[in-house]
């Protein structure tokens, strides 16, 4: 949540900040602002409620010259989205300016203390309290700028990524993180800071990912790293494996549509180098170290949030089918706040696209404290979750800019299927011939997803019919039950239509009361072990005059007789069907949202990465 960008160098800062904020806008788009330190050592601030475009318009003709600056695009937590609450924020004496991603949990008590000492606050934010605290230490205790930041951070509780500039120390910029991501880009006599790498890759591929409780101090164009406990650290420079075109729309109207159509490639990339059906070989390098524990595990616990949780539900079926290990799937946000029973021989799998999900990170730390082995499935190299887990596997979906996750879901399911097959084969739960069959079919999935995307035209027709519906019901059985949940979530997220996903058999235990002639019901009815049962469920919906939209295996005529609309997808083995059957549901949500005039890539109240509670 919230996007941060900063620059110090020889170039003009403002254009770099604005471009960077546009690339970070998927992280928050309630308001935006920049602060520029000019040659006269004055801090000029421009901020505006609304999207970055409103800030950009505000800057037309403004004097925003300067070679050092900070920028922010906000997802509101404390205080409504308006000009005053927008970042950057000043301290009492307007000496310092700060941008912040996260939540300062003890801001209220600090604010009271500062008010008793004469501080006056303009905004409702916790961020303004933090910069007042830093400035008071800086000016009253007469310590160095970076030391004032360090001392203040030792007084606050919560999550933060911050960047601070000072008009008294114009050659210094200070950043720090705890629980929220921050990356430093290293150029030629210039530095960049951002919430993720997307604003940086145009200028440099060399980056340093800050760890929790670390500070980055750039002074006189030199970078140093230390902890808030004042321990010096060596900067570990990495090279970004990211291309500029990967974060651009590439001719598509929306990032979401681009990312839906990228799935044949992202699924292939998530398999590349890991499986080979010709040799019957499966290689999961990140699991080898923990092979003994995985083979002897009595239980796997999966923790995740949102779409990643739905991928975890698919993984529950995969691990139980392939590896014969019982699986529990937990919302990380609930798991972390109770006292779960975790044994030292449990395997915990944490799934996150961003690698920065606050609740999932907290669940990881809880599991580790109980002695469990924690594996990560994540898309972002260098993010917090891969560093917090014992090992795991990266997906290779590439950057996902659309807030509603699409290609990350199928990449996660692909990697989880590979993990389940690897464990199952290693422990003897599946034979070599079975493995060969599964690997062959998995290799066919990219081409089958490409074929599934050909349903776009019929999906668009269906969207035109039901774009004004007030409710949707999604039903599926077995492996397709999590797909129903994911389809309903996509529709809710971007079209603002109320939608619910259910196991088809559970319809009779309540939701059937909602079905009437106005209720569109999406049923994933591909041919599998529960096909006949799903046919019965369709009959039950039809008897109550529900409008039936069925996702079926190509060539199916039985379901077509009962349905108002049919969307065909290629056949595949049952465990891999979610990779194919989810495609039309993604397209359906996309087209309905577009027809309703919704902002597909930036749906209201949502941000891409939930880095705060």
């Amino acid at each position: 949540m919230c996007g941060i960008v900063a620059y110090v160098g020889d170039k003009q800062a403002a254009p770099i900040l604005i471009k960077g904020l546009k690339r970070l806008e998927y992280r928050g788009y309630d308001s935006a602002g920049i602060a520029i330190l000019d040659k006269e050592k004055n801090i000029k601030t421009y901020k505006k409620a609304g999207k970055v475009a409103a800030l950009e318009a505000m800057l037309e003709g403004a004097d925003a010259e300067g070679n050092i600056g900070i920028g922010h695009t906000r997802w509101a937590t404390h205080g409504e989205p308006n000009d005053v609450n927008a970042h950057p924020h000043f301290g009492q004496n307007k000496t310092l300016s700060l941008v912040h991603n996260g939540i300062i949990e003890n801001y209220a008590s600090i604010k009271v203390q500062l008010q008793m000492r004469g501080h006056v606050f303009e905004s409702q934010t916790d961020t303004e309290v933090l910069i007042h605290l830093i400035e008071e230490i800086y000016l009253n205790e007469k310590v160095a700028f970076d030391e004032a930041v360090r001392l203040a951070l030792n007084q606050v509780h919560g999550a933060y990524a911050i960047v601070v500039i000072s008009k008294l120390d114009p050659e210094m910029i200070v950043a720090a993180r705890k629980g929220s991501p921050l990356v430093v880009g290293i150029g030629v006599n210039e530095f960049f800071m951002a919430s993720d790498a997307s604003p940086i890759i145009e200028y440099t591929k060399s980056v340093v990912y800050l760890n929790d409780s670390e500070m980055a101090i750039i002074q006189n164009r030199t970078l140093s790293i230390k902890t808030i406990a004042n321990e010096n650290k060596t900067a570990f420079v990495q090279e970004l494996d990211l291309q500029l075109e990967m974060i651009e729309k590439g001719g598509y109207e929306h990032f979401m549509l681009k990312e839906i159509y990228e799935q044949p490639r992202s699924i292939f990339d998530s398999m590349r180098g890991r499986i080979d059906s010709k040799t019957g070989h499966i290689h999961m390098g990140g699991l080898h170290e923990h092979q003994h524990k995985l083979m002897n595990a009595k239980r796997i616990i999966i923790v995740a949030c949102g779409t990643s949780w739905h991928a975890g539900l698919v993984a529950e079926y995969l691990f139980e089918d392939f590896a014969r290990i019982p699986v529990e799937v937990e919302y990380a946000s609930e798991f972390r706040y109770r006292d779960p029973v975790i044994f030292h021989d449990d395997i915990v799998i944490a799934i996150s696209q961003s690698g920065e999900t606050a609740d999932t990170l907290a669940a990881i730390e809880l599991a580790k404290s109980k002695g469990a082995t924690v594996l990560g499935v994540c898309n972002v190299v260098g993010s917090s979750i891969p560093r917090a887990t014992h090992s795991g596997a990266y997906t290779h979906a590439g950057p996902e800019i659309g807030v509603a996750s699409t290609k990350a879901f199928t990449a996660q399911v692909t990697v989880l299927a590979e993990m389940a097959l690897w464990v199952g084969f290693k422990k003897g739960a599946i034979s070599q011939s079975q493995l060969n069959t599964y690997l062959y079919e998995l290799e066919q999935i990219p081409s089958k997803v490409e074929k599934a995307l050909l349903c776009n035209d019929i999906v668009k027709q269906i969207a035109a019919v039901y774009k004004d519906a007030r409710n949707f019901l999604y039903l599926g059985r077995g492996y397709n039950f999590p797909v129903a949940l994911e389809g309903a979530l996509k529709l809710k997220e971007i079209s603002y239509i109320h939608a619910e996903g259910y196991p088809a058999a559970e319809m009779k235990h309540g939701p059937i009361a909602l079905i009437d002639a106005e209720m569109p019901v999406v049923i994933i009815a591909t041919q599998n072990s529960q096909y006949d049962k799903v046919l019965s469920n369709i009959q039950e919906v039809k008897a109550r005059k529900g409008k039936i939209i069925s996702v079926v295996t190509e060539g199916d005529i039985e379901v077509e007789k009962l349905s108002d609309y049919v969307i065909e997808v290629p056949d595949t083995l049952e465990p891999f069907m979610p990779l194919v059957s989810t495609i039309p549901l993604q397209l359906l949500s996309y087209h309905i949202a577009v027809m309703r005039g919704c902002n597909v890539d930036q749906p209201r109240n949502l941000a891409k990465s939930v880095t705060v509670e």
Side-chain angles (χ1 to χ4, degrees):
M1 320 282 244
C2 301
I4 288 173
V5 63
Y7 174 76
V8 57
D10 296 323
K11 299 183 179 75
Q12 287 296 310
I16 293 170
L17 299 180
I18 291 297
K19 186 179 288 187
L21 291 179
K22 287 180 177 178
R23 290 182 180 159
L24 290 171
E25 198 165 21
Y26 69 94
R27 300 180 67 91
Y29 30 89
D30 293 331
S31 59
I34 64 171
I36 303 292
L37 186 60
D38 66 17
K39 291 181 179 178
E40 283 71 45
K41 301 180 183 179
N42 295 313
I43 298 176
K44 296 178 179 177
T45 301
Y46 306 88
K47 52 186 187 175
K48 187 73 175 172
K51 298 188 187 302
V52 175
L55 173 65
E56 188 175 26
M58 181 185 186
L59 285 167
E60 289 181 11
D63 179 13
E65 290 193 359
N67 305 116
I68 181 170
I70 56 178
H72 188 270
T73 181
R74 183 173 185 241
W75 188 89
T77 53
H78 293 73
E80 66 182 70
N82 58 31
D83 292 356
V84 174
N85 289 328
H87 298 212
H89 286 286
F90 279 105
Q92 177 80 357
N93 296 297
K94 306 291 191 288
T95 302
L96 306 178
S97 184
L98 172 145
V99 290
H100 168 224
N101 175 18
I103 293 178
I104 305 303
E105 294 173 357
N106 61 334
Y107 84 99
S109 60
I110 296 173
K111 185 174 185 178
V112 170
Q113 294 171 22
L114 291 170
Q115 286 173 324
M116 291 172 64
R117 296 198 288 269
H119 286 252
V120 178
F121 295 90
E122 298 177 1
S123 77
Q124 301 166 296
T125 67
D126 55 332
T127 301
E128 190 185 7
V129 174
L130 176 58
I131 191 60
H132 273 245
L133 176 63
I134 295 171
E135 190 182 78
E136 181 175 82
I137 295 171
Y138 182 37
L139 299 179
N140 291 357
E141 299 185 18
K142 294 182 170 48
V143 298
F145 174 27
D146 60 312
E147 179 67 2
V149 175
R150 188 185 73 81
L151 292 172
L153 291 178
N154 277 283
Q155 296 184 38
V156 303
H157 306 298
Y160 55 79
I162 62 169
V163 186
V164 197
I165 56 174
S166 166
K167 66 181 184 181
L168 300 183
D169 284 281
E171 296 302 319
M172 182 183 289
I173 185 167
V174 180
R177 68 150 289 183
K178 182 181 179 183
S180 291
L182 202 62
V183 57
V184 181
I186 303 171
V188 179
N189 203 35
E190 62 184 356
F191 292 87
F192 307 81
M193 297 178 179
S195 296
D196 63 41
S198 59
I200 293 173
I201 59 169
E202 185 173 344
Y203 309 100
T204 180
K205 293 289 186 73
S206 300
V207 298
V208 174
Y209 290 96
L210 290 186
N211 293 311
D212 264 0
S213 300
E214 284 187 347
M215 298 172 57
I217 301 110
I218 298 167
Q219 186 172 23
N220 298 318
R221 310 293 174 88
T222 301
L223 171 67
S224 61
I225 308 288
K226 67 180 178 181
T227 69
I228 64 171
N230 211 24
E231 178 186 359
N232 291 323
K233 293 285 186 177
T234 301
F236 177 56
V237 181
Q238 302 182 48
E239 292 297 306
L240 288 173
D241 183 20
L242 189 64
Q243 305 301 321
L244 183 60
E245 58 268 22
M246 296 170 73
I247 60 168
E248 296 178 337
K249 289 182 183 176
Y252 287 90
E253 186 178 356
H254 298 96
F255 279 111
M256 182 181 178
L257 187 61
K258 174 180 181 259
E259 288 155 8
I260 289 172
Y261 275 87
E262 284 177 339
Q263 287 175 109
R265 180 55 186 264
S266 58
I267 291 171
F268 173 79
D269 286 345
S270 295
M271 296 188 291
R272 183 160 42 92
R274 288 174 171 160
I275 67 171
D276 185 346
S277 65
K278 292 185 177 64
T279 62
H281 180 68
I282 182 165
H283 174 74
M284 300 297 293
L287 304 186
H288 280 292
E289 183 183 350
H290 305 286
Q291 179 174 331
H292 179 75
K293 288 184 177 179
L294 282 161
M295 288 175 61
N296 293 281
K298 295 182 176 64
R299 179 176 65 161
I300 293 173
I301 301 171
I302 295 175
V303 292
C305 299
T307 287
S308 296
W309 186 76
H310 295 155
L313 290 177
V314 178
E316 178 179 13
Y317 291 87
L318 290 166
F319 275 98
E320 291 187 350
D321 278 358
F322 293 157
R324 307 310 299 156
I325 302 172
V327 178
E328 297 176 13
V329 185
E330 300 267 6
Y331 283 114
S333 54
E334 289 295 314
F335 183 80
R336 63 176 291 197
Y337 283 116
R338 64 176 210 268
D339 186 17
V341 178
I342 304 173
F343 301 105
H344 68 89
D345 57 354
D346 281 339
I347 301 293
V348 175
I349 300 176
I351 310 171
S352 169
Q353 187 282 137
S354 68
E356 303 292 347
T357 311
D359 287 320
T360 307
L361 277 164
I364 289 168
E365 295 306 321
L366 174 60
K368 286 166 65 178
S369 73
K370 304 281 189 179
T373 299
V374 185
L375 307 176
V377 174
C378 180
N379 190 42
V380 181
V381 176
S383 57
S384 296
I385 284 176
R387 288 183 285 172
T389 51
H390 293 110
S391 189
Y394 281 110
T395 58
H396 295 288
E400 189 178 64
I401 307 300
V403 167
S405 184
T406 52
K407 65 176 180 173
F409 172 73
T410 50
Q412 287 168 349
V413 171
T414 300
V415 169
L416 290 161
E418 292 164 347
M419 291 172 70
L421 285 169
W422 186 87
V423 175
F425 179 65
K426 290 292 183 183
K427 67 179 293 188
I430 56 175
S431 66
Q432 182 68 64
S433 63
Q434 288 173 313
L435 179 65
N436 293 351
T437 300
Y438 287 130
L439 295 183
Y440 175 80
E441 188 58 29
L442 200 51
E443 287 177 338
Q444 309 312 305
I445 292 298
S447 62
K448 292 187 176 184
V449 169
E450 196 161 354
K451 192 173 182 182
L453 287 164
L454 298 176
C455 74
N456 184 63
D457 288 344
I458 182 64
V459 170
K460 200 169 182 179
Q461 294 173 30
I462 296 168
V465 175
Y466 294 108
K467 65 182 176 62
D468 296 318
R470 298 182 62 186
N471 301 282
F472 265 76
L473 189 62
Y474 286 71
L475 302 175
R477 280 180 178 258
Y479 279 97
N480 282 325
F481 161 50
V483 175
L485 292 176
E486 176 62 12
L489 177 61
K490 290 284 96 60
L491 190 68
K492 281 184 279 196
E493 284 181 310
I494 63 172
S495 74
Y496 319 138
I497 295 173
H498 175 253
E500 295 295 335
Y502 272 90
E506 287 297 303
M507 178 181 60
K508 295 188 290 294
H509 295 272
I512 199 167
L514 299 172
I515 295 174
D516 59 20
E518 302 300 317
M519 171 69 86
V521 182
V522 179
I523 302 178
I524 303 112
T526 53
Q527 289 178 341
N528 56 32
S529 59
Q530 301 186 54
Y531 178 73
D532 290 339
K533 299 291 185 183
V534 174
L535 278 176
S536 297
N537 296 138
I538 294 173
Q539 293 276 16
E540 291 162 354
V541 173
K542 188 174 181 65
R544 287 154 182 85
K545 300 183 180 179
K547 302 301 181 184
I548 300 168
I549 304 164
S550 295
V551 177
V552 303
T553 305
E554 56 187 353
D556 188 314
I557 58 174
E558 293 300 316
V559 176
E560 185 175 10
K561 295 174 186 175
L562 301 171
S563 304
D564 295 275
Y565 294 94
V566 165
I567 307 166
E568 292 190 346
V569 295
D571 193 18
T572 185
L573 295 178
E574 191 171 348
F576 306 140
M577 183 52 76
L579 294 166
V580 178
S581 61
T582 196
I583 302 300
L585 306 189
Q586 294 173 351
L587 289 168
L588 182 63
S589 65
Y590 170 79
H591 286 301
I592 287 177
V594 169
M595 291 174 186
R596 288 168 64 89
C598 301
N599 190 328
V600 172
D601 287 334
Q602 298 173 356
R604 68 187 183 203
N605 302 331
L606 296 177
K608 182 65 177 173
S609 178
V610 184
T611 59
V612 298
E613 290 185 56

